Each structure stands twice: as C-alpha cells, then as structure tokens.
Amino acid sequence: MNDIDYSIYLVTGRELLPPGKDYYESLEESLQGGVTLVQIREKNIDTGEFIEIATKSKEICDRYNVPVIINDRVDVAVAVKARGVHLGQTDMSVPQARKLLPEGTVIGVSCNNAHHVRAAIEDGADSIGIGAVWGTQTKQLTSPLVGVRGVGTLLELLGGTNIKAVAIGGIKIKNLLRTLHGSVSRTGRALDGVAIVSEIMASGDPRQAAITLSTIFNSFTITTNLPPVMSPQGLSAGQIIVEKVARLMSVIREVNPLVHQITNTVVATQSANITLSLGGSPIMASEPQEMEDLGHISSALLINIGTMRSDGKESMSKAGYFANINKKPVIFDPVGIGASAFRRDTARDLLNVFQASVIKGNAGELAALAGTQEVFTKGVDSVGSGFRDPVGFVRDLARKERCVIALTGPVDYISDGTNVVALSNGHEILAKITGSGCIVGSSIATYCGALFARSTGDSTGKLVQGDTFLGAIAGIMVLTVAAEAAVLREDVKGPGTFLPALIDELWALQPRAVQSLARIEVF
C-alpha cells in the first residue's frame, strides 16, 4: 500500500543552492517547513558520491519521518534502502525495476502524455510525475510542455486506480494555486502533490518557502456553488438568484468597480460605455508594462481576442497572470476562435498561462474551444441551430476548463460545472449590432468586479474572490432585460438607435424591473 504523503515533494538540486548555503542545512530547513517527500536527484556524480549524499540525506529525512526517493538509480535506492525510486521514460521499465527492488518499494514514473500514463498503469507504477507543467530552467526539456489544462486530461486516465500523481516543472509559490485549481480533471480528480525544485533549493530561506507552499496546498479545496432548491421563505432556486441579482444592482453603483478591459478595437468605446452605464469604471489598457500595477488596483479583468494581433499576446498573458496572483476575476472572450489556427493557438496558450474565471462565447466559439464539430462558426458568428444538449455541454466544459462557462444565444446557458442556469431574456436586434457579444463580456466583468470588491473572508485556498457564477448570471440577465426595454422605446427605429437606447436603459434600470421580467430556469 502506498501511504506516502506526496503533497510537498522536494526534488533536490545542489547546483541551485544560493552562494554559501550548505545543502544539508537547506534540506533540513525544508523538512522543518513541511516538505513531505524528498527525491534525491544527482546527474553528474559517480556512484560512490551519490550513495554518500543519499545516505546522509536519508539520515536527516529519517529524523522527520519523511521518506526518500532516488531519481533514476535503482542501484543507489537499494544501497541506501530508500523508500522508492523515480524512473524517467528512458530508464529501465517498472517491471524490471520491481525485480531488483525490495518488496514494498514504491516506483514512480515521469509522464508527458496519455501513452505514458496508460503504460504506467499497465506496468503497475505506484505514482506518476506529470510534466513539465510550466517552463523550467532546472532541467532541459525533451518533451513538449503539458500545460496546466493538460494535467487534468491525464489525471482523468487514473480513474479506478490507486496511483498517486504529482505535477512537476516550474511550479512556484506564485503559480501553485493556479496549478492546483486548473489541473483538476472533469471527473474531480486532483493532484496528490507538487514536485518543487528551485522554489526551495534556490531559496535563502527554504523553511519559509516550504511553509508557504504547504499552506497553499493544504488550503486548496474543490468548491462549487450549490444554490438551495427552496429557501425557508419558499422561493425557488431561480427566484433566489434573481433576488441576489437585484441586490447586486445596487451594490455595483456603490462600489464602482474598476474593470480592466483588453478588448478588440471594434467595440472598445461601446464596451466602456456599457461598463459606465452599469455603475462600473472602465480602464482600456494594453501596454505590457502596466499589467502588474493594474493587477493590483482593478477589481476584474476582461480579455477579448476579437482583433487579436501577435504583439498583443504579451499584454494579455501578463494581465491574466497578475489577475490570478491578486485573486481577481478573469473573464475570457474567445471571439472568433474557430476562424483561424492563430486564434485557436493563442487561446490555448493564454489559458495555459492564466486561469479564466468565466469563459463567455457563442455556440460556435465554445464548440471550437471544446474541440467539437457539433456547431461551426462563420468568422465571429455561430452557424446552425446550436447544441443538442446545451445544458450538458456547458456543464461538461465548465468542469474541463475549471471555470464558469457562459454560452450566449437565443437562450443563454451558464454553468459552474455543477449547476446550470438558463436565461431567456433578450431580443433578436442584439444580433444586428456590432459587438453585442463583446458588451456581454463587459457586463459580466463589471458584475464580477463588484462581487470581488464586496468579498470577505479567508481566501487562502481560492484562486479568485467573489462569486463568479452569480456575476456571470447577473451580467447577462441585466443586459438582456435592458435590451427588451430598449427595443420597446418609441425612439428606437432599428439597430442604429437601439445601442444608445440600450446604454440609457442600463443606466436607468431598476432592480424591481429585473425581478419582474427575468426568465430563468435552474437545472
């Protein structure tokens, strides 16, 4: 039985030690900080010296009841009576190593793709190391990056097994929560641990580094929003949501959330005006050097790839990264993602850098993101009648992407991976104005920003503060109810007069109108 705690899995690298820092001192301090497993990795020394280092390392680890794993070398593992060995894809096979090792020795295997994972399962491995997740300077990569989103796909293959899984490659304090959150599989399988190299070995204070990593790991929980079917007052789940949205409409004007928007050039002005009319404060900034500062002061971030250029990728990557660090909601709008390989590749790369809180798109865009051909796109527009099972689709994609999914259309579907809400407000004239989908993204970001600004409580184990599921619902509900009011005005003669009327109606819309007009179903 493999009862090892893999949570904070230190992989040694003496070459990374700060000047003047003793290896054994660093190792002991990391153990005091909460390291739960140590892998001794030595690539450029002879066998005798490897055994000497491993023996002394094991003596220190034994004092803290922390198991030792040997990297690659089965002979060294046997010599020092290590708890296990970790094998690469070019080392001896698991069955071969099993024959040479004492009974009960655990064997881990490095895995970079689905074939590797299936082979590890078949060979009877006790654990797998999935990576590299992020770019790393501690090891020359011979295989492509798995990426955070790719980890969950591989974890899903472990269903029904007792194999433990850790992620490795470039994992730091700043990206640990992102790694843990984004790597959970659609089936709810999470990592058993993370392999850490330079964040501890290169630290002048390895004890504190280990404490911080351990605190983040142990505080992480897989949470979902579960609205009650009925409240004590007899309200349905849908009515409860509408009441929350109505209250939020007042809050948003009180807090005036600053909403950072990197959006397409076609809709920047109307997106800013929509944000203002809702009660938010827009900042439309795209200079890479500003992203860290804006990550501190904004309440939400919208990234829209509608007029994406290759020179804009740096700004989007940095903005999302710093928003994650500051626990700010990130709304991602993959406009026209199905139109070109450039857009698809860009969206994939961005979503591996940062964790989106909400992904909003029409049927064609979300189908392209999900890799299904059930719905197609024509430029930035969706073609066809939509998904056969939109409820199941948004729920499944939300689980895969580890965020809220908002599918826009004649009926809007929003899911957090457990619950699905369908909203039936709006008017067909919305499809006749440029960027109607883009302004929905601005509305969602504004409401998520208000919820962030009003969030309270301990957020240690959360990647984002505020209820982004409610924020997405509110953003769509308020905009589509206002659209119905705007189209009925006598001064609205068509799309050209509709947009200014929509901005006016959003400004004047009262909570009671939303309470009476919202059409909602909860699945």
Side-chain angles (χ1 to χ4, degrees), residues 181-217:
H181 178 97
S183 62
V184 178
S185 76
R186 290 181 298 176
T187 55
R189 177 67 156 86
L191 288 165
D192 297 293
V194 286
I196 307 293
V197 191
S198 62
E199 193 74 338
I200 291 178
M201 294 303 302
S203 174
D205 190 351
R207 180 179 178 274
Q208 186 56 53
I211 288 173
T212 304
L213 289 161
S214 181
T215 299
I216 295 171
F217 187 93

mmCIF file of all heavy atoms in Angstrom, residues 181-217:
data_model
loop_
_atom_site.group_PDB
_atom_site.id
_atom_site.type_symbol
_atom_site.label_atom_id
_atom_site.label_comp_id
_atom_site.label_asym_id
_atom_site.label_seq_id
_atom_site.Cartn_x
_atom_site.Cartn_y
_atom_site.Cartn_z
ATOM 1 N N HIS A 181 -5.739 24.440 -9.027
ATOM 2 C CA HIS A 181 -7.107 24.681 -9.483
ATOM 3 C C HIS A 181 -7.313 24.205 -10.918
ATOM 4 O O HIS A 181 -8.265 23.485 -11.228
ATOM 5 C CB HIS A 181 -7.425 26.172 -9.376
ATOM 6 C CG HIS A 181 -8.796 26.522 -9.856
ATOM 7 N ND1 HIS A 181 -9.868 26.661 -9.006
ATOM 8 C CD2 HIS A 181 -9.287 26.747 -11.106
ATOM 9 C CE1 HIS A 181 -10.954 26.955 -9.702
ATOM 10 N NE2 HIS A 181 -10.622 27.022 -10.987
ATOM 11 N N GLY A 182 -6.405 24.618 -11.796
ATOM 12 C CA GLY A 182 -6.598 24.348 -13.216
ATOM 13 C C GLY A 182 -6.364 22.911 -13.636
ATOM 14 O O GLY A 182 -6.783 22.516 -14.724
ATOM 15 N N SER A 183 -5.713 22.129 -12.794
ATOM 16 C CA SER A 183 -5.372 20.758 -13.172
ATOM 17 C C SER A 183 -6.402 19.719 -12.750
ATOM 18 O O SER A 183 -6.277 18.543 -13.109
ATOM 19 C CB SER A 183 -4.009 20.379 -12.578
ATOM 20 O OG SER A 183 -4.045 20.426 -11.161
ATOM 21 N N VAL A 184 -7.409 20.102 -11.989
ATOM 22 C CA VAL A 184 -8.441 19.140 -11.577
ATOM 23 C C VAL A 184 -9.171 18.621 -12.820
ATOM 24 O O VAL A 184 -9.556 19.388 -13.693
ATOM 25 C CB VAL A 184 -9.441 19.779 -10.602
ATOM 26 C CG1 VAL A 184 -10.542 18.783 -10.220
ATOM 27 C CG2 VAL A 184 -8.721 20.276 -9.353
ATOM 28 N N SER A 185 -9.348 17.315 -12.910
ATOM 29 C CA SER A 185 -9.976 16.721 -14.094
ATOM 30 C C SER A 185 -11.484 16.933 -14.087
ATOM 31 O O SER A 185 -12.075 17.334 -13.083
ATOM 32 C CB SER A 185 -9.676 15.224 -14.153
ATOM 33 O OG SER A 185 -10.472 14.514 -13.209
ATOM 34 N N ARG A 186 -12.118 16.638 -15.214
ATOM 35 C CA ARG A 186 -13.575 16.755 -15.313
ATOM 36 C C ARG A 186 -14.278 15.839 -14.322
ATOM 37 O O ARG A 186 -15.407 16.087 -13.914
ATOM 38 C CB ARG A 186 -14.038 16.407 -16.730
ATOM 39 C CG ARG A 186 -13.660 17.430 -17.778
ATOM 40 C CD ARG A 186 -14.168 17.018 -19.138
ATOM 41 N NE ARG A 186 -13.577 15.750 -19.574
ATOM 42 C CZ ARG A 186 -13.902 15.115 -20.690
ATOM 43 N NH1 ARG A 186 -14.814 15.626 -21.500
ATOM 44 N NH2 ARG A 186 -13.315 13.984 -21.017
ATOM 45 N N THR A 187 -13.602 14.751 -13.946
ATOM 46 C CA THR A 187 -14.178 13.790 -13.007
ATOM 47 C C THR A 187 -13.897 14.155 -11.553
ATOM 48 O O THR A 187 -14.255 13.404 -10.648
ATOM 49 C CB THR A 187 -13.627 12.387 -13.291
ATOM 50 O OG1 THR A 187 -12.188 12.420 -13.265
ATOM 51 C CG2 THR A 187 -14.079 11.888 -14.658
ATOM 52 N N GLY A 188 -13.209 15.288 -11.339
ATOM 53 C CA GLY A 188 -12.924 15.728 -9.979
ATOM 54 C C GLY A 188 -11.633 15.192 -9.400
ATOM 55 O O GLY A 188 -11.366 15.366 -8.207
ATOM 56 N N ARG A 189 -10.806 14.559 -10.217
ATOM 57 C CA ARG A 189 -9.528 14.026 -9.745
ATOM 58 C C ARG A 189 -8.514 15.159 -9.638
ATOM 59 O O ARG A 189 -8.233 15.854 -10.608
ATOM 60 C CB ARG A 189 -9.020 12.957 -10.718
ATOM 61 C CG ARG A 189 -7.647 12.354 -10.397
ATOM 62 C CD ARG A 189 -7.675 11.541 -9.117
ATOM 63 N NE ARG A 189 -6.626 10.541 -9.064
ATOM 64 C CZ ARG A 189 -5.367 10.744 -8.636
ATOM 65 N NH1 ARG A 189 -5.024 11.947 -8.216
ATOM 66 N NH2 ARG A 189 -4.489 9.770 -8.621
ATOM 67 N N ALA A 190 -7.975 15.353 -8.444
ATOM 68 C CA ALA A 190 -6.998 16.415 -8.213
ATOM 69 C C ALA A 190 -5.610 15.825 -8.021
ATOM 70 O O ALA A 190 -5.441 14.615 -7.832
ATOM 71 C CB ALA A 190 -7.398 17.225 -6.977
ATOM 72 N N LEU A 191 -4.613 16.671 -8.073
ATOM 73 C CA LEU A 191 -3.240 16.246 -7.828
ATOM 74 C C LEU A 191 -3.066 15.812 -6.376
ATOM 75 O O LEU A 191 -3.668 16.380 -5.467
ATOM 76 C CB LEU A 191 -2.269 17.385 -8.124
ATOM 77 C CG LEU A 191 -2.058 17.750 -9.596
ATOM 78 C CD1 LEU A 191 -1.367 19.106 -9.709
ATOM 79 C CD2 LEU A 191 -1.246 16.670 -10.304
ATOM 80 N N ASP A 192 -2.208 14.818 -6.181
ATOM 81 C CA ASP A 192 -1.858 14.382 -4.822
ATOM 82 C C ASP A 192 -0.701 15.200 -4.268
ATOM 83 O O ASP A 192 -0.439 15.155 -3.058
ATOM 84 C CB ASP A 192 -1.479 12.906 -4.825
ATOM 85 C CG ASP A 192 -2.640 12.017 -5.239
ATOM 86 O OD1 ASP A 192 -3.621 11.942 -4.475
ATOM 87 O OD2 ASP A 192 -2.581 11.422 -6.333
ATOM 88 N N GLY A 193 -0.021 15.905 -5.138
ATOM 89 C CA GLY A 193 1.100 16.698 -4.678
ATOM 90 C C GLY A 193 1.739 17.457 -5.808
ATOM 91 O O GLY A 193 1.350 17.338 -6.974
ATOM 92 N N VAL A 194 2.734 18.259 -5.453
ATOM 93 C CA VAL A 194 3.501 19.007 -6.442
ATOM 94 C C VAL A 194 4.983 18.806 -6.162
ATOM 95 O O VAL A 194 5.420 18.831 -5.013
ATOM 96 C CB VAL A 194 3.152 20.506 -6.415
ATOM 97 C CG1 VAL A 194 1.792 20.756 -7.041
ATOM 98 C CG2 VAL A 194 3.184 21.066 -4.995
ATOM 99 N N ALA A 195 5.733 18.586 -7.240
ATOM 100 C CA ALA A 195 7.185 18.428 -7.114
ATOM 101 C C ALA A 195 7.818 19.812 -7.244
ATOM 102 O O ALA A 195 7.586 20.521 -8.225
ATOM 103 C CB ALA A 195 7.709 17.487 -8.185
ATOM 104 N N ILE A 196 8.605 20.173 -6.260
ATOM 105 C CA ILE A 196 9.194 21.505 -6.175
ATOM 106 C C ILE A 196 10.714 21.385 -6.261
ATOM 107 O O ILE A 196 11.314 20.563 -5.559
ATOM 108 C CB ILE A 196 8.825 22.201 -4.859
ATOM 109 C CG1 ILE A 196 7.297 22.200 -4.642
ATOM 110 C CG2 ILE A 196 9.391 23.601 -4.808
ATOM 111 C CD1 ILE A 196 6.532 23.025 -5.624
ATOM 112 N N VAL A 197 11.322 22.201 -7.070
ATOM 113 C CA VAL A 197 12.781 22.168 -7.187
ATOM 114 C C VAL A 197 13.347 23.533 -6.763
ATOM 115 O O VAL A 197 13.663 23.756 -5.609
ATOM 116 C CB VAL A 197 13.227 21.794 -8.616
ATOM 117 C CG1 VAL A 197 14.741 21.507 -8.624
ATOM 118 C CG2 VAL A 197 12.477 20.572 -9.139
ATOM 119 N N SER A 198 13.430 24.467 -7.687
ATOM 120 C CA SER A 198 14.148 25.715 -7.424
ATOM 121 C C SER A 198 13.494 26.600 -6.373
ATOM 122 O O SER A 198 14.181 27.355 -5.677
ATOM 123 C CB SER A 198 14.309 26.510 -8.721
ATOM 124 O OG SER A 198 13.052 26.876 -9.261
ATOM 125 N N GLU A 199 12.173 26.537 -6.233
ATOM 126 C CA GLU A 199 11.500 27.415 -5.270
ATOM 127 C C GLU A 199 11.987 27.162 -3.845
ATOM 128 O O GLU A 199 11.978 28.065 -3.006
ATOM 129 C CB GLU A 199 9.984 27.227 -5.355
ATOM 130 C CG GLU A 199 9.185 28.287 -4.645
ATOM 131 C CD GLU A 199 9.137 29.623 -5.359
ATOM 132 O OE1 GLU A 199 10.031 29.909 -6.196
ATOM 133 O OE2 GLU A 199 8.221 30.405 -5.095
ATOM 134 N N ILE A 200 12.441 25.936 -3.585
ATOM 135 C CA ILE A 200 13.018 25.612 -2.277
ATOM 136 C C ILE A 200 14.540 25.594 -2.337
ATOM 137 O O ILE A 200 15.213 26.222 -1.533
ATOM 138 C CB ILE A 200 12.481 24.263 -1.765
ATOM 139 C CG1 ILE A 200 10.995 24.379 -1.408
ATOM 140 C CG2 ILE A 200 13.278 23.794 -0.546
ATOM 141 C CD1 ILE A 200 10.357 23.087 -0.945
ATOM 142 N N MET A 201 15.088 24.876 -3.335
ATOM 143 C CA MET A 201 16.537 24.688 -3.371
ATOM 144 C C MET A 201 17.286 26.007 -3.589
ATOM 145 O O MET A 201 18.395 26.178 -3.082
ATOM 146 C CB MET A 201 16.907 23.700 -4.481
ATOM 147 C CG MET A 201 16.427 22.282 -4.255
ATOM 148 S SD MET A 201 17.017 21.536 -2.700
ATOM 149 C CE MET A 201 18.793 21.643 -2.865
ATOM 150 N N ALA A 202 16.708 26.940 -4.347
ATOM 151 C CA ALA A 202 17.385 28.213 -4.614
ATOM 152 C C ALA A 202 17.040 29.288 -3.591
ATOM 153 O O ALA A 202 17.514 30.418 -3.692
ATOM 154 C CB ALA A 202 17.032 28.705 -6.020
ATOM 155 N N SER A 203 16.252 28.935 -2.598
ATOM 156 C CA SER A 203 15.801 29.918 -1.619
ATOM 157 C C SER A 203 16.825 30.118 -0.509
ATOM 158 O O SER A 203 17.439 29.165 -0.027
ATOM 159 C CB SER A 203 14.473 29.461 -1.005
ATOM 160 O OG SER A 203 14.086 30.314 0.045
ATOM 161 N N GLY A 204 16.962 31.356 -0.096
ATOM 162 C CA GLY A 204 17.799 31.634 1.058
ATOM 163 C C GLY A 204 17.122 31.243 2.361
ATOM 164 O O GLY A 204 17.774 31.123 3.397
ATOM 165 N N ASP A 205 15.799 31.027 2.307
ATOM 166 C CA ASP A 205 15.025 30.613 3.477
ATOM 167 C C ASP A 205 14.119 29.450 3.079
ATOM 168 O O ASP A 205 12.908 29.608 2.906
ATOM 169 C CB ASP A 205 14.192 31.782 4.003
ATOM 170 C CG ASP A 205 13.541 31.494 5.359
ATOM 171 O OD1 ASP A 205 13.606 30.320 5.810
ATOM 172 O OD2 ASP A 205 12.969 32.418 5.947
ATOM 173 N N PRO A 206 14.703 28.257 2.890
ATOM 174 C CA PRO A 206 13.913 27.114 2.433
ATOM 175 C C PRO A 206 12.809 26.713 3.401
ATOM 176 O O PRO A 206 11.781 26.180 2.982
ATOM 177 C CB PRO A 206 14.943 25.998 2.273
ATOM 178 C CG PRO A 206 16.112 26.425 3.074
ATOM 179 C CD PRO A 206 16.121 27.913 3.042
ATOM 180 N N ARG A 207 12.998 26.968 4.685
ATOM 181 C CA ARG A 207 11.956 26.648 5.655
ATOM 182 C C ARG A 207 10.696 27.457 5.369
ATOM 183 O O ARG A 207 9.590 26.921 5.313
ATOM 184 C CB ARG A 207 12.452 26.923 7.074
ATOM 185 C CG ARG A 207 11.417 26.624 8.168
ATOM 186 C CD ARG A 207 11.990 26.902 9.560
ATOM 187 N NE ARG A 207 10.984 26.653 10.583
ATOM 188 C CZ ARG A 207 10.074 27.550 10.979
ATOM 189 N NH1 ARG A 207 10.064 28.768 10.407
ATOM 190 N NH2 ARG A 207 9.193 27.245 11.907
ATOM 191 N N GLN A 208 10.859 28.778 5.178
ATOM 192 C CA GLN A 208 9.704 29.626 4.916
ATOM 193 C C GLN A 208 9.084 29.306 3.560
ATOM 194 O O GLN A 208 7.855 29.332 3.416
ATOM 195 C CB GLN A 208 10.095 31.095 4.960
ATOM 196 C CG GLN A 208 8.917 32.050 4.829
ATOM 197 C CD GLN A 208 7.843 31.815 5.879
ATOM 198 O OE1 GLN A 208 8.126 31.791 7.074
ATOM 199 N NE2 GLN A 208 6.605 31.609 5.447
ATOM 200 N N ALA A 209 9.911 28.990 2.579
ATOM 201 C CA ALA A 209 9.380 28.615 1.266
ATOM 202 C C ALA A 209 8.498 27.381 1.383
ATOM 203 O O ALA A 209 7.398 27.322 0.811
ATOM 204 C CB ALA A 209 10.522 28.371 0.286
ATOM 205 N N ALA A 210 8.966 26.392 2.146
ATOM 206 C CA ALA A 210 8.188 25.161 2.331
ATOM 207 C C ALA A 210 6.908 25.427 3.109
ATOM 208 O O ALA A 210 5.857 24.853 2.802
ATOM 209 C CB ALA A 210 9.033 24.114 3.041
ATOM 210 N N ILE A 211 6.977 26.285 4.115
ATOM 211 C CA ILE A 211 5.780 26.636 4.892
ATOM 212 C C ILE A 211 4.727 27.254 3.981
ATOM 213 O O ILE A 211 3.541 26.885 4.025
ATOM 214 C CB ILE A 211 6.135 27.609 6.033
ATOM 215 C CG1 ILE A 211 6.904 26.888 7.143
ATOM 216 C CG2 ILE A 211 4.871 28.257 6.608
ATOM 217 C CD1 ILE A 211 7.439 27.810 8.219
ATOM 218 N N THR A 212 5.140 28.195 3.148
ATOM 219 C CA THR A 212 4.199 28.880 2.257
ATOM 220 C C THR A 212 3.587 27.907 1.262
ATOM 221 O O THR A 212 2.362 27.916 1.033
ATOM 222 C CB THR A 212 4.901 30.026 1.511
ATOM 223 O OG1 THR A 212 5.495 30.911 2.469
ATOM 224 C CG2 THR A 212 3.914 30.792 0.647
ATOM 225 N N LEU A 213 4.401 27.075 0.650
ATOM 226 C CA LEU A 213 3.903 26.085 -0.303
ATOM 227 C C LEU A 213 2.924 25.126 0.365
ATOM 228 O O LEU A 213 1.862 24.809 -0.183
ATOM 229 C CB LEU A 213 5.077 25.297 -0.895
ATOM 230 C CG LEU A 213 5.978 26.059 -1.873
ATOM 231 C CD1 LEU A 213 7.321 25.362 -2.010
ATOM 232 C CD2 LEU A 213 5.306 26.197 -3.230
ATOM 233 N N SER A 214 3.269 24.672 1.553
ATOM 234 C CA SER A 214 2.410 23.737 2.282
ATOM 235 C C SER A 214 1.083 24.382 2.661
ATOM 236 O O SER A 214 0.020 23.757 2.554
ATOM 237 C CB SER A 214 3.137 23.249 3.542
ATOM 238 O OG SER A 214 2.349 22.328 4.257
ATOM 239 N N THR A 215 1.123 25.648 3.075
ATOM 240 C CA THR A 215 -0.100 26.358 3.454
ATOM 241 C C THR A 215 -1.047 26.471 2.259
ATOM 242 O O THR A 215 -2.250 26.230 2.374
ATOM 243 C CB THR A 215 0.236 27.753 3.993
ATOM 244 O OG1 THR A 215 1.053 27.625 5.165
ATOM 245 C CG2 THR A 215 -1.036 28.518 4.345
ATOM 246 N N ILE A 216 -0.493 26.843 1.110
ATOM 247 C CA ILE A 216 -1.313 26.973 -0.095
ATOM 248 C C ILE A 216 -1.899 25.625 -0.492
ATOM 249 O O ILE A 216 -3.102 25.513 -0.769
ATOM 250 C CB ILE A 216 -0.486 27.555 -1.259
ATOM 251 C CG1 ILE A 216 -0.057 28.984 -0.943
ATOM 252 C CG2 ILE A 216 -1.292 27.515 -2.557
ATOM 253 C CD1 ILE A 216 0.940 29.560 -1.930
ATOM 254 N N PHE A 217 -1.065 24.600 -0.507
ATOM 255 C CA PHE A 217 -1.535 23.277 -0.926
ATOM 256 C C PHE A 217 -2.636 22.770 0.000
ATOM 257 O O PHE A 217 -3.678 22.289 -0.462
ATOM 258 C CB PHE A 217 -0.380 22.275 -0.954
ATOM 259 C CG PHE A 217 -0.763 20.941 -1.539
ATOM 260 C CD1 PHE A 217 -0.579 20.684 -2.882
ATOM 261 C CD2 PHE A 217 -1.335 19.950 -0.757
ATOM 262 C CE1 PHE A 217 -0.953 19.469 -3.444
ATOM 263 C CE2 PHE A 217 -1.725 18.733 -1.297
ATOM 264 C CZ PHE A 217 -1.531 18.491 -2.651
#
